[in-house]
């Protein structure tokens, strides 16, 4: 792929910066005029276009077979819906990237949407990687383990699994049937006797030689065949071996083989005829109700059900189901290999192009299929039924959340129902490792991508001064808001700030808010523990109102307690991590220019950090990798003055 404007090579993956953004002058065109201006340099080729606002934030990423032809449609006001009209009105500049084919453009579009999260695109909110099972075969005794994250070259990977629980169940089954080790190499090398897993018949104890290399390799081969769905007669061989052991009066071995047979039979009894005839495939069903879409994904690998998960992609109310499904499929397989077969209940938009793009990314043929009868159709119907149930639960939760927010607005004397609530808390121990925390919640629950921590940096604070710490946190928060969203068009400003504290903390926050001139636009409420610090008797403080309480057992009170507890959890977690880092910090960490290699050389030479601090200049010069200038720098650091 080549960028027509810069002539620099690119690829279908994520470019660092595909095109330098156009500069906005004081009288730069806006809206449709800005798009007309960008059309002068728009190429007549397949590729991707980006629309940006005045802040340079990407509003929308789109693909096109002919970029100029596609973008020109935005300059015609007739036919544009309300949402597209708002997007066009916010556009200040555009960027274009050309690709070799339209399929490459679709892949690049999905990558950019996944990375940039534009507000006007359908967005798959998939913040967690899927777990896999890995068979690490680089060691003398191969290991089987759970894996999440980037896949390396040190083993064979099987998955994905829908959840940690589904991969744990499979791993537990593999231990019972094949007795492979799950411990790390370090543990394996330092065992002197079998561990508990050997005692409960979940491992063959290769660490202490309880199994020969040949027999262990056979277990590995059987496990590999099982994970790949190959029938190698494992059950018949285990049954024959059990009978031989029984005939030889080796009842202990026979019992072990019997337990392995039972575990294998249990697994096979749960693999019905439908799944046993299905090779690698994802079964995906999409349903729409109440302006929301739920997409249910069932994972089948090697004829085995690897679990399922429901997704709720972000999209506009007027988006069609086929468009949402198409965008979901493109983004879903950005960071995971697609199976050769994808079974669907609905036809996605641009289905042939989507299949071609997925095949290009996977480097093998991918088929998208809508089965009309038979076992595969039954699986799709089951996935669709699960999607309906999940969406019904989601809509019920959203209705309850909206009702809670409406009640909250009435109880806290707010002018309107809050869409964005920010909750603040501080954490420290007698002033040490002080840290402030902010969590964000709204109609869709906690938004963890917006959570923030504030390391208390001021050296003039009295240790443990909660009011001063809250002032510092709020000063940094308001200054950042005014810098990043001065016209409040990006949705970063809170409607309600909830402060964990009493009148003192509230006064500190109001003082900072007054300095920044935001008191009339943001409601600020403090929540304190109340009499005897008893949960359920919290007091609420708001400027212009007497302190008040909410009736114990009221749903709004539970909701506020949940918000406060989440902020407290987030603050405590950050404080503990900060304290742990301080505990293990070495005096050598403060030395400029001393990396891990030189630090290791110093510690090996002198035995400890204190030995380095007490060392003479001549002794420091004798350490490998430490020059005379570096030795002088180290010596001066520990002997300042």
């Amino acid at each position: 792929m080549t960028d027509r404007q810069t002539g620099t090579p690119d690829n279908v993956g994520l470019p660092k910066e595909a095109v330098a953004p156009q500069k906005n002058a004081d009288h730069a065109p806006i809206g449709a005029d800005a798009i007309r201006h960008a059309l002068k340099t728009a190429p007549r080729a397949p590729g991707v276009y980006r629309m940006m606002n005045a802040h340079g934030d990407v509003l929308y990423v789109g693909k096109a077979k002919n970029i100029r032809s596609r973008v020109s449609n935005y300059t015609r006001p007739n036919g544009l819906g309300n949402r597209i009209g708002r997007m066009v009105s916010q556009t200040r500049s555009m960027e274009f990237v050309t690709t070799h084919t339209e399929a490459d453009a679709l892949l690049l579009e999905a990558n950019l949407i996944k990375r940039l999260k534009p507000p006007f695109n359908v967005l798959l909110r998939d913040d967690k990687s899927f777990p896999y099972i890995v068979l690490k075969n680089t060691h003398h005794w191969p290991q089987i383990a759970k894996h999440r994250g980037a896949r390396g070259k040190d083993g064979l990977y099987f998955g994905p699994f829908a959840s940690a629980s589904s991969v744990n169940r499979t791993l537990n089954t593999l231990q019972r049937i094949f007795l492979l080790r799950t411990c790390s190499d370090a543990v394996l090398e330092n065992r002197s006797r079998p561990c508990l897993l050997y005692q409960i018949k979940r491992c063959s104890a290769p660490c202490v030689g309880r199994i020969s290399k040949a027999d262990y390799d056979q277990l590995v081969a059987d496990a590999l065949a099982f994970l790949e769905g190959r029938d190698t007669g494992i059950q018949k061989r285990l049954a024959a071996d059990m009978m031989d052991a029984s005939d030889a009066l080796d009842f202990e071995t026979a019992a072990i083989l019997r337990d392995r047979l039972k575990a294998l039979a249990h697994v096979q009894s749960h693999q019905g005829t439908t799944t046993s005839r299905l090779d690698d495939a994802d079964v995906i069903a999409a349903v729409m109700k109440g302006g929301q879409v739920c997409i249910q994904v069932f994972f089948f690998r090697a004829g085995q059900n690897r679990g399922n998960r429901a997704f709720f992609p972000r999209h506009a109310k007027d988006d069609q189901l086929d468009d949402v499904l198409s965008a979901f499929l493109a983004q879903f397989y950005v960071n995971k290999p697609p199976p050769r077969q994808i079974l669907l209940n609905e036809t996605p938009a641009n289905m042939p192009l989507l299949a071609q793009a997925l095949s290009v990314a996977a480097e093998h043929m991918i088929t998208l299929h809508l089965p009309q009868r038979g076992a595969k159709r039954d699986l799709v119907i089951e996935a669709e039924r699960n999607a309906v149930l999940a969406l019904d639960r989601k809509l019920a939760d959203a209705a309850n959340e909206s009702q809670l927010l409406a009640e909250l607005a009435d109880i806290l004397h707010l002018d309107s129902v809050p869409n964005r609530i920010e909750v603040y808390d501080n954490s420290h121990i007698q002033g040490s490792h002080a840290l402030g925390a902010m969590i964000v919640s709204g109609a869709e629950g906690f938004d963890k991508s917006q959570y923030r921590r504030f390391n208390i940096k001021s050296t003039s604070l009295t240790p443990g001064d909660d009011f001063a710490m809250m002032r510092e946190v709020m000063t940094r928060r308001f200054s950042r808001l005014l810098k990043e969203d001065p016209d409040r068009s990006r949705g970063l400003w809170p409607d309600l700030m909830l402060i964990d504290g009493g009148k003192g903390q509230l006064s500190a926050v109001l003082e900072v808010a007054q300095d920044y001139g935001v008191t009339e636009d943001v409601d600020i409420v403090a929540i304190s523990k109340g009499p005897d610090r008893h949960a359920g008797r919290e007091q609420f403080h708001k400027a212009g109102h007497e302190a008040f309480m909410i009736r114990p057992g009221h749903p709004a009170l539970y909701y506020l307690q949940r918000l406060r507890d989440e902020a407290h959890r987030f603050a405590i977690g950050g404080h503990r991590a900060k304290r742990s880092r301080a505990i293990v910090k070495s005096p050598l960490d403060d030395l400029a220019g001393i990396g891990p290699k030189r630090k290791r050389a110093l510690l090996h030479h002198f035995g400890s950090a204190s030995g380095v601090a007490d060392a003479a200049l001549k002794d420091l010069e004798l350490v490998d990798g430490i020059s005379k200038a570096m030795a002088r720098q180290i010596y001066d650091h520990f002997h300042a003055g």
Side-chain angles (χ1 to χ4, degrees):
M1 183 169 66
T2 302
D3 183 340
R4 290 284 183 87
Q5 293 183 341
T6 64
T8 56
D10 204 346
N11 53 45
V12 175
L14 286 174
K16 293 182 178 179
E17 278 301 332
V19 183
Q22 302 173 14
K23 301 294 184 181
N24 284 322
D26 292 338
H27 302 288
I30 61 176
D33 290 335
I35 297 175
R36 291 189 188 96
H37 179 76
L39 271 174
K40 297 176 182 178
T41 57
R44 297 182 183 276
V48 170
Y49 58 92
R50 287 187 266 184
M51 309 172 80
M52 278 88 66
N53 62 14
H55 304 287
D57 300 323
V58 177
L59 298 171
Y60 182 78
V61 175
K63 69 176 186 311
K65 188 174 183 178
N66 183 314
I67 293 178
R68 177 173 294 187
S69 176
R70 178 70 183 91
V71 171
S72 66
N73 294 332
Y74 294 109
T75 63
R76 307 184 186 104
N78 295 332
L80 296 180
N82 292 333
R83 183 176 66 92
I84 301 300
R86 283 190 291 111
M87 179 183 74
V88 169
S89 68
Q90 297 178 31
T91 300
R92 297 296 183 271
S93 61
M94 295 191 69
E95 296 173 359
F96 308 110
V97 180
T98 60
T99 59
H100 292 302
T101 65
E102 191 179 2
D104 289 342
L106 189 148
L107 294 175
L108 179 57
E109 177 197 38
N111 274 309
L112 290 173
I113 293 172
K114 195 91 169 177
R115 188 186 74 173
L116 301 173
K117 297 178 173 55
F120 288 93
N121 280 99
V122 175
L123 179 63
L124 169 61
R125 291 173 289 192
D126 179 18
D127 57 343
K128 289 187 178 180
S129 60
F130 287 83
Y132 285 77
I133 284 178
V134 58
L135 183 62
K136 296 184 178 180
N137 51 12
T138 54
H139 193 276
H140 183 70
W141 303 102
Q143 171 202 18
I144 194 164
K146 179 171 62 176
H147 175 84
R148 191 190 288 272
R151 296 193 290 175
K153 299 180 180 179
D154 58 345
L156 304 173
Y157 292 82
F158 302 92
F161 289 81
S163 62
S165 59
S166 59
V167 76
N168 287 337
R169 283 195 301 269
T170 302
L171 195 59
N172 183 46
T173 299
L174 291 171
Q175 285 181 282
R176 293 166 59 195
I177 299 175
F178 302 108
L179 309 178
L180 300 183
R181 73 174 179 101
T182 56
C183 59
S184 66
D185 293 348
V187 171
L188 176 78
E189 301 295 343
N190 289 283
R191 294 294 307 182
S192 59
R193 58 181 181 177
C195 66
L196 179 62
L197 288 176
Y198 174 77
Q199 306 297 335
I200 62 174
K201 309 298 187 293
R202 299 289 178 87
C203 181
S204 54
C207 53
V208 291
R210 297 295 175 93
I211 186 172
S212 67
K213 174 62 175 165
D215 289 342
Y216 192 85
D217 287 344
Q218 182 61 55
L219 293 178
V220 172
D222 290 343
L224 184 60
F226 177 82
L227 288 168
E228 292 177 344
R230 292 186 282 112
D231 183 10
T232 58
I234 299 174
Q235 192 169 19
K236 291 181 179 179
R237 190 167 66 252
L238 287 176
D241 291 344
M242 182 182 68
M243 294 305 298
D244 291 343
S246 178
D247 293 341
L249 305 182
D250 186 357
F251 299 117
E252 183 176 358
T253 300
I256 294 173
L257 293 169
R258 178 203 62 200
D259 293 341
R260 292 176 62 191
L261 265 173
K262 287 173 61 178
L264 184 59
H266 178 75
V267 172
Q268 292 176 338
S269 68
H270 283 73
Q271 303 299 327
T273 56
T274 298
T275 61
S276 63
R277 291 201 299 267
L278 188 66
D279 203 0
D280 290 2
D282 285 344
V283 180
I284 300 178
V287 296
M288 175 178 277
K289 184 186 295 186
Q292 290 197 37
V293 170
C294 175
I295 299 178
Q296 186 79 223
V297 182
F298 279 73
F299 301 94
F300 291 93
R301 298 294 183 272
Q304 301 172 19
N305 188 344
R306 298 282 170 83
N308 61 291
R309 186 188 292 189
F311 297 88
F312 302 91
R314 188 194 73 189
H315 63 92
K317 296 287 186 182
D318 56 351
D319 281 338
Q320 299 300 310
L321 182 59
D322 59 339
D323 291 324
V324 176
L325 179 58
S326 179
F328 170 86
L329 291 170
Q331 295 175 45
F332 184 69
Y333 292 109
V334 163
N335 57 356
K336 60 185 70 67
R340 294 183 179 274
Q341 185 176 195
I342 300 174
L343 306 181
L344 302 166
N345 73 322
E346 296 282 346
T347 303
N350 302 313
M351 183 169 166
L353 176 63
L354 188 61
Q356 180 187 352
L358 292 177
S359 300
V360 169
E363 299 181 347
H364 58 74
M365 180 63 70
I366 303 295
T367 59
L368 305 181
H369 180 51
L370 279 75
Q372 300 300 313
R373 61 182 66 85
K376 292 181 179 179
R377 177 61 182 168
D378 293 339
L379 285 175
V380 170
I381 292 174
E382 179 67 14
E384 186 173 305
R385 186 179 69 84
N386 278 269
V388 171
L389 292 174
L391 185 54
D392 286 343
R393 288 193 299 268
K394 177 77 170 179
L395 292 173
D397 290 344
N400 292 336
E401 198 84 9
S402 298
Q403 182 179 352
L404 275 175
L405 290 174
E407 293 179 0
L408 191 66
D410 182 54
I411 290 172
L412 298 182
H413 313 291
L414 308 180
D415 294 332
S416 60
V417 176
N419 291 317
R420 179 184 172 104
I421 302 174
E422 294 182 357
V423 191
Y424 293 85
D425 190 17
N426 292 332
S427 183
H428 62 90
I429 296 180
Q430 297 180 343
S432 65
H433 314 304
L435 177 142
M438 176 192 85
I439 69 157
V440 178
S441 184
E444 296 187 0
F446 294 117
D447 186 357
K448 296 190 177 182
S449 67
Q450 296 291 311
Y451 285 18
R452 297 291 183 269
R453 290 193 177 108
F454 304 84
N455 288 315
I456 303 302
K457 299 177 180 179
S458 177
T459 57
S460 62
L461 294 182
T462 302
D465 188 347
D466 285 332
F467 306 150
M469 284 191 287
M470 189 60 72
R471 274 192 291 270
E472 178 178 334
V473 169
M474 287 299 159
T475 298
R476 290 162 60 183
R477 179 60 181 154
F478 284 129
S479 62
R480 183 161 187 162
L481 282 172
L482 289 172
K483 179 182 178 182
E484 295 185 348
D485 194 8
D487 55 1
R488 310 195 180 198
S489 62
R490 301 172 61 188
L492 300 179
W493 283 81
D495 302 303
L496 170 64
M497 283 184 163
L498 190 64
I499 312 300
D500 187 13
K503 293 180 179 179
Q505 281 86 351
L506 178 63
S507 298
V509 175
L510 289 174
E511 178 185 328
V512 178
Q514 180 114 25
D515 292 341
Y516 284 90
V518 296
T519 52
E520 296 182 0
D521 305 307
V522 179
D523 285 299
I524 302 173
V525 177
I527 174 173
S528 60
K529 289 294 198 311
D532 304 322
R533 301 179 64 82
H534 188 276
R537 302 183 64 189
E538 286 83 354
Q539 289 189 334
F540 296 87
H541 311 271
K542 185 180 180 185
H545 296 268
E546 293 290 333
F548 60 94
M549 299 174 64
I550 300 177
R551 173 179 57 82
H554 195 289
L557 178 59
Y558 286 129
Y559 178 71
L560 290 167
Q561 289 172 342
R562 185 156 55 95
L563 293 180
R564 181 200 58 197
D565 293 344
E566 173 68 3
H568 189 61
R569 178 201 65 79
F570 188 59
I572 286 290
H575 168 73
R576 286 174 176 166
K578 187 176 180 182
R579 188 179 62 193
S580 298
R581 288 193 298 268
I583 290 172
V584 300
K585 185 177 180 181
S586 168
L588 301 183
D589 294 337
D590 296 327
L591 287 169
I594 300 294
K597 189 173 181 180
R598 284 181 174 143
K599 188 190 301 183
R600 191 159 48 245
L602 288 167
L603 291 173
H604 285 171
H605 189 91
F606 294 104
S608 65
S610 60
V612 178
D614 295 336
L617 178 60
K618 292 292 185 183
D619 293 331
L620 289 169
E621 293 174 353
L622 297 176
V623 180
D624 291 338
I626 303 296
S627 64
K628 289 187 177 183
M630 183 63 69
R632 168 57 69 180
Q633 179 183 334
I634 297 170
Y635 183 83
D636 290 345
H637 175 82
F638 289 112
H639 298 83

